[in-house]
Amino acid sequence: MTERETLHHAVSRGWREMGTLLVHLARDLPADARGTLVNQPPTRGSTVLFPTVADMNRNGARRYDHEVIYGAMGTPIQHELEAAIAAIEGARHAQIVSSGLAACTTPLLAFLGKNGHCLIPDSVYGPTRRFANTVLRRFGVDTTFYPPLTDAAGLRAMMRPNTQVVFAESPGSHTFEVQDVRMIADVAHEHGARLILDNTWGVGIFHPFEHGVDIAVQALTKYPSGHSDSIIGAISVADEQDWHVLRDTCIQLGQVAGPDDCWLTLRGLRTMGARLERQSRSAIDVALWLAGRPEVARVLHPALPSCPGHDVWRRDFSGASALFGVVFQPDYSQEAMIAMIDSLTLFGIGASWGGYESLVLPTTGGILRTCAAEAPGGPACRLHIGLENADDLIADLSAGLEMLTGAATYGD
Ligand SMILES: Cc1ncc(COP(=O)(O)O)c(C=O)c1O
């Protein structure tokens, strides 16, 4: 096999393997409204009627059982999506919440308490960092940002007697360091802390609970919904006691998602394997092409040895998504890279990722790091590879790079 064929296999294997599961999961649930339809339609509702007051009074205990007891606690379409996500993540329970960010922040609120301490990787998604630095701080919770590739001794040195939560995000969605989640789980558990993982990049291709994760969160907004038209998140847990704590926190915060977003996400999930089988291969084609270009210093794709944490990716993941970083040679200025990005015709410029379309975003400068991190070395951007033909994307990037080299790009 050529290097390209080997990589195609490595990045798409997990997506191919999950195809049957994605088509069949959660479709056997009781679905009064569905009848013989293939799909559960969006189910709307607030009030749920009970035959007797005694029956209604049993709701307190039933709130952990994914039953329909009040609209804010989930309707059949939300519970069907919860069952699907739990199956994909290998969890006992999942809770759908209003956004990916809510999926990150809600378990932090659930498992951190007064005078607690939290460890968060320096590569974390920016709004999660802001939440720790604002809301958590206001409630007396201290956060230490740790180097995402620290070893066990380094992590142990940062644990405190009051460390209640260690957070991880692997790979970081801007800088792509792949974290050793198994090691992080061991250190967290030695100290009685829980490990929360943002598994948005690794949905379905990294099985968090097999690696010791206690709570896995997902921005379903990305690959599961897959069409850039909904905002939604999920939190999965393996332990029954943790489920009770999490479920109560979600109910107390009023965490719920709209039926249309649940429905769109379930619909997206059915084709996620097929989309990603193609997108992951196209991403490798584009990444390999970029890696061979003289303008490019480094490609931050977890399946390539040039990405920090690549060995951990090889050990732990059954595939790769289609989001990766590119670092240009230091000779090029940030302005020149931005002009190159502006010139692209097939890559949209915008936040988020995981849809069917390609996107690009500058990542130098705006991504806050507070630990001593290796600087990217040149201007950098993030690419999301969609369902377009990879050759067309490469042609678009090729024209962009010609512009980069032709323009007055060299610094002093
Ligand atoms: C890694 C990661 N986690 C969480 C989120 C938040 O998701 P949402 O946009 O649904 O709030 C994002 C969004 O970009 C993300 O990239």
Side-chain angles (χ1 to χ4, degrees):
M1 277 207 281
T2 62
E3 182 203 7
R4 183 166 164 270
E5 285 166 346
T6 307
L7 281 165
H8 272 179
H9 176 75
V11 297
S12 64
R13 177 170 60 87
W15 302 112
R16 193 169 52 255
E17 285 169 0
M18 80 180 83
T20 307
L21 173 75
L22 291 175
V23 169
H24 289 277
L25 48 70
R27 282 177 46 199
D28 55 350
L29 294 185
D32 298 343
R34 185 199 293 176
T36 53
L37 296 173
V38 171
N39 291 328
Q40 175 85 270
T43 43
R44 304 172 199 289
S46 53
T47 300
V48 173
L49 300 175
F50 298 91
T52 65
V53 172
D55 198 49
M56 184 172 170
N57 286 345
R58 279 194 282 274
N59 283 348
R62 285 158 58 187
R63 68 189 185 278
Y64 305 113
D65 295 335
H66 306 272
E67 288 189 32
V68 182
I69 51 181
Y70 181 58
M73 298 181 199
T75 60
I77 190 81
Q78 179 175 321
H79 293 325
E80 188 157 325
L81 180 57
E82 284 163 347
I85 296 300
I88 293 168
E89 294 280 60
R92 207 171 170 129
H93 296 282
Q95 165 81 42
I96 298 301
V97 294
S98 57
S99 68
L101 179 57
C104 297
T105 58
T106 305
L108 288 171
L109 285 175
F111 296 105
L112 283 161
K114 195 175 168 203
N115 301 325
H117 174 243
C118 177
L119 281 170
I120 293 186
D122 206 29
S123 48
V124 77
Y125 171 62
T128 307
R129 175 190 289 270
R130 264 198 300 284
F131 179 79
N133 283 337
T134 54
V135 179
L136 292 182
R137 183 177 295 164
R138 201 146 32 81
F139 288 100
V141 174
D142 244 11
T143 300
T144 305
F145 292 95
Y146 68 92
L149 299 184
T150 188
D151 60 11
L155 197 63
R156 268 190 205 106
M158 281 176 279
M159 298 293 294
R160 299 184 193 164
N162 60 338
T163 306
Q164 296 162 331
V165 166
V166 179
F167 197 93
E169 180 184 317
S170 180
S173 65
H174 283 283
T175 50
F176 299 97
E177 290 107 322
V178 186
Q179 295 197 265
D180 188 344
V181 169
R182 194 177 300 174
M183 175 279 286
I184 296 169
D186 287 345
V187 174
H189 295 158
E190 272 167 25
H191 291 77
R194 286 185 180 78
L195 174 60
I196 302 176
L197 172 72
D198 184 336
N199 194 33
T200 301
W201 192 95
V203 56
I205 51 170
F206 180 81
H207 299 290
F209 300 100
E210 291 172 12
H211 295 269
V213 170
D214 299 295
I215 297 111
V217 306
Q218 276 288 332
L220 300 181
T221 307
K222 319 298 178 200
Y223 291 121
S225 80
H227 294 73
S228 304
D229 52 11
S230 48
I231 293 280
I232 185 164
I235 308 163
S236 305
V237 295
D239 177 81
E240 197 63 25
Q241 278 314 107
D242 283 355
W243 167 242
H244 284 213
V245 173
L246 179 79
R247 177 76 173 139
D248 284 340
T249 306
C250 288
I251 291 172
Q252 283 142 13
L253 290 172
Q255 269 299 354
V256 64
D260 287 329
D261 288 316
C262 293
W263 174 70
L264 283 167
T265 305
L266 261 174
R267 205 179 144 104
L269 261 185
R270 305 292 176 199
T271 59
M272 183 174 74
R275 282 184 279 113
L276 266 295
E277 199 176 329
R278 174 173 164 130
Q279 286 176 247
S280 62
R281 286 165 172 249
S282 296
I284 274 297
D285 290 344
V286 175
L288 286 177
W289 180 81
L290 283 165
R293 290 289 304 208
E295 301 87 350
V296 172
R298 200 167 177 199
V299 176
L300 304 175
H301 188 303
L304 299 183
S306 50
C307 187
H310 163 72
D311 289 341
V312 175
W313 174 83
R314 276 174 53 145
R315 188 191 69 191
D316 292 348
F317 285 74
S318 65
S321 87
L323 185 78
F324 64 93
V326 184
V327 182
F328 294 93
Q329 299 288 1
D331 307 331
Y332 298 104
S333 65
Q334 174 79 355
E335 294 69 32
M337 182 192 70
I338 288 175
M340 189 280 283
I341 288 175
D342 287 344
S343 77
L344 299 175
T345 58
L346 296 180
F347 288 81
I349 300 168
S352 201
W353 46 282
Y356 60 84
E357 80 291 9
S358 291
L359 294 170
V360 60
L361 203 64
T363 46
T364 333
I367 310 304
L368 184 63
R369 301 290 294 242
T370 48
C371 300
E374 196 191 327
C381 70
R382 180 178 87 175
L383 294 180
H384 177 254
I385 303 301
L387 286 168
E388 300 92 339
N389 183 330
D391 291 341
D392 294 336
L393 295 175
I394 289 172
D396 196 23
L397 287 166
S398 178
L401 291 189
E402 265 167 44
M403 192 194 139
L404 184 68
T405 43
T409 51
Y410 286 86
D412 295 333

